[in-house]
Amino acid sequence: MADQASSLEVSKQQRTEKEKAIDDWLPITSSRNAKWWYSAFHNVTAMVGAGVLSLPFAMSELGWGPGIAVLILSWVITLYTLWQMVEMHEMVPGKRFDRYHELGQHAFGEKLGLWIVVPQQLIVEVGVNIVYMVTGGRSLKKFHDSVCPDCKDIKLSFFIMIFASVHLVLSQLPNFNSISGISLAAAVMSLSYSTIAWGASVHKGKQADVDYGYRSQSTGGAIFSFFSALGDVAFAYAGHNVVLEIQATIPSTPEKPSKKPMWKGVIVAYIVVAACYFPVALIGYWAFGNSVEDNVLISLSKPRWLIAMANMFVVIHVIGSYQHKHCLDSAFTMFLGITFPFFGGLLGFFGGFAFAPTTYFLPCIMWLVIYKPKRFSLSWIANWVCIVLGVILMIIAPIGALRQIILSAKTYRFYS
């Protein structure tokens, strides 16, 4: 009996050490002492990024009425699905679903849950990192061109490589807690460069020849551009992929569950999101119309020092938002970013194909499976509306974006 008890104790200790090793390796979850404001700035950093800079361009492809409606509807839907994930984080007493795939396994089963969630997460991660490689490189180039307009022109590819070299270092850090300072700085940067984007647009004023008609001259082109713009908006509102991991850092007891401080942080984050997104989208479109670039900061050139500073803020932010894993990941996304630096097309494609499922409708499906709300109840209807809209978005946005990428590739000189 003594030997058996000793064997069980050793087995338990080994299992505990193994679990601890896994938790230390996976992001965020190695400690649980975060406050509600950690939730706020981590959520802002996860959501407000490259996507906000494309919103005026998306507006130019959607038009005033549909564009405003899509922005508001996306804000409401993603806030609702984020609330669902916060609620489901510790729905089982004594257990916390610290990662998206764990929640998926609880909803769909051990194997099916992994097959449904993990591929989506991988696509999201790769998509974000590719887009942020392009964003970081383009912003560095814009910074260089702003502070030194008479200097020799340097290829975008080199700036992407410079940006990637930072991540080769940061990929060695073990988890999100290791870069909490960067994450806080990134949240501040996002609010700063968004404010500069719409403030500089106001300063520039409405252009004399501004045109608010659709960018494409053909009906078919306008429709496909509309589809791609939906993906741009979806990319801007994405951030659910790490919500559970953010909540995992917050302490929780039966008397004080983590969902209360987490939700408080989420509300603050979404107020910041609205303060960033709506002015940039509406004022940027008002100033430039359908001639706005797919990154509004590229359309702006004066005041030169302010635009240079805004682009450096973007660089700092996307450094904090980039999801670090290994050096190989950074090298792979750098290669793809250099090869296909089509900012607008990439946003539309990944926004629809990757972010629509994890942000717009997968939480709703899990909610229906787990809680089984009464048919035709408000909860049942709301979730099915989100599911239908999300699936449509997932289908049509990548189609429009692929067309845009193909058209861009026809005139693009690779590795230039």
Side-chain angles (χ1 to χ4, degrees):
M1 288 294 290
D3 291 341
Q4 186 177 3
S6 176
S7 177
L8 287 172
E9 184 65 29
V10 171
S11 177
K12 182 179 179 181
Q13 183 179 357
Q14 290 174 342
R15 185 170 67 252
T16 302
E17 289 174 354
K18 182 179 180 182
E19 289 173 352
K20 184 179 183 300
I22 293 173
D23 280 344
D24 286 342
W25 174 78
L26 288 164
I28 289 185
T29 58
S30 60
S31 63
R32 299 186 189 271
N33 56 4
K35 307 298 183 182
W36 70 265
W37 55 84
Y38 281 60
S39 162
F41 69 70
H42 276 309
N43 274 291
V44 168
T45 303
M47 185 173 297
V48 184
V52 66
L53 301 174
S54 74
L55 291 178
F57 181 81
M59 287 289 297
S60 73
E61 295 181 318
L62 295 169
W64 278 116
I68 293 173
V70 168
L71 285 174
I72 294 173
L73 190 61
S74 292
W75 191 91
V76 172
I77 289 176
T78 56
L79 179 59
Y80 172 65
T81 56
L82 202 158
W83 169 79
Q84 289 180 313
M85 296 190 70
V86 170
E87 287 290 314
M88 289 188 287
H89 176 75
E90 47 193 359
M91 70 181 81
V92 178
K95 181 176 177 59
R96 300 178 71 176
F97 299 107
D98 291 344
R99 289 168 281 277
Y100 209 137
H101 73 266
E102 293 177 5
L103 186 58
Q105 287 177 297
H106 179 73
F108 307 117
E110 290 292 320
K111 291 185 178 180
L112 183 59
L114 286 177
W115 280 105
I116 291 175
V117 175
V118 172
Q120 287 294 332
Q121 286 189 293
L122 291 174
I123 295 171
V124 165
E125 183 178 319
V126 171
V128 166
N129 290 349
I130 293 172
V131 170
Y132 280 7
M133 279 290 177
V134 176
T135 306
R138 289 184 68 179
S139 294
L140 281 174
K141 179 173 173 56
K142 181 69 175 181
F143 174 82
H144 170 268
D145 295 344
S146 297
V147 298
C148 190
D150 299 325
C151 292
K152 181 181 179 181
D153 185 57
I154 300 177
K155 292 180 179 181
L156 174 61
S157 301
F158 292 144
F159 284 105
I160 295 176
M161 292 173 68
I162 293 170
F163 182 75
S165 65
V166 176
H167 297 294
L168 293 176
V169 175
L170 292 179
S171 63
Q172 307 304 311
L173 299 177
N175 55 41
F176 278 9
N177 287 330
S178 302
I179 57 170
S180 58
I182 295 176
S183 187
L184 176 58
V188 174
M189 294 300 101
S190 63
L191 185 58
S192 300
Y193 68 69
S194 298
T195 303
I196 292 172
W198 67 259
S201 296
V202 170
H203 180 266
K204 191 174 182 67
K206 183 179 178 180
Q207 301 304 289
D209 57 347
V210 68
D211 183 1
Y212 297 121
Y214 287 113
R215 300 176 69 92
S216 179
Q217 300 300 315
S218 67
T219 302
I223 292 173
F224 281 111
S225 295
F226 190 96
F227 291 169
S228 180
L230 294 176
D232 290 351
V233 175
F235 191 101
Y237 280 99
H240 292 39
N241 206 42
V242 293
V243 165
L244 296 176
E245 295 179 332
I246 294 171
Q247 191 169 351
T249 65
I250 299 175
S252 183
T253 64
E255 296 77 22
K256 295 181 179 180
S258 64
K259 65 182 181 182
K260 292 183 178 180
M262 178 67 181
W263 181 240
K264 185 178 180 181
V266 167
I267 292 296
V268 172
Y270 258 73
I271 291 173
V272 174
V273 167
C276 292
Y277 286 16
F278 289 93
V280 172
L282 302 182
I283 296 174
Y285 182 44
W286 166 80
F288 296 102
N290 61 18
S291 65
V292 69
E293 296 284 344
D294 57 4
N295 178 338
V296 68
L297 288 179
I298 305 300
S299 296
L300 295 163
S301 56
K302 294 180 180 179
R304 184 173 292 159
W305 66 270
L306 191 63
I307 302 306
M309 186 168 64
N311 279 278
M312 188 50 62
F313 287 166
V314 173
V315 172
I316 296 171
H317 183 213
V318 294
I319 287 173
S321 301
Y322 188 96
Q323 297 178 34
H324 306 93
K325 289 293 183 182
H326 305 290
C327 291
L328 186 59
D329 297 337
S330 299
F332 175 67
T333 53
M334 179 192 71
F335 169 73
L336 292 179
I338 291 173
T339 307
F340 305 105
F342 309 124
F343 180 76
L346 289 172
L347 256 64
F349 179 81
F350 287 114
F353 185 66
F355 290 108
T358 57
T359 305
Y360 283 75
F361 67 86
L362 193 53
C364 297
I365 294 175
M366 292 191 289
W367 189 273
L368 292 175
V369 170
I370 294 169
Y371 288 104
K372 298 179 174 60
K374 186 178 179 181
R375 182 172 292 189
F376 302 118
S377 65
L378 180 60
S379 175
W380 187 90
I381 292 171
N383 282 292
W384 273 109
V385 168
C386 293
I387 292 169
V388 171
L389 292 176
V391 170
I392 292 172
L393 174 63
M394 182 184 69
I395 295 171
I396 65 177
I399 295 173
L402 277 175
R403 176 182 178 273
Q404 187 172 316
I405 291 173
I406 291 170
L407 292 176
S408 299
K410 287 182 177 180
T411 57
Y412 175 68
R413 184 180 176 184
F414 287 90
Y415 306 109
S416 61

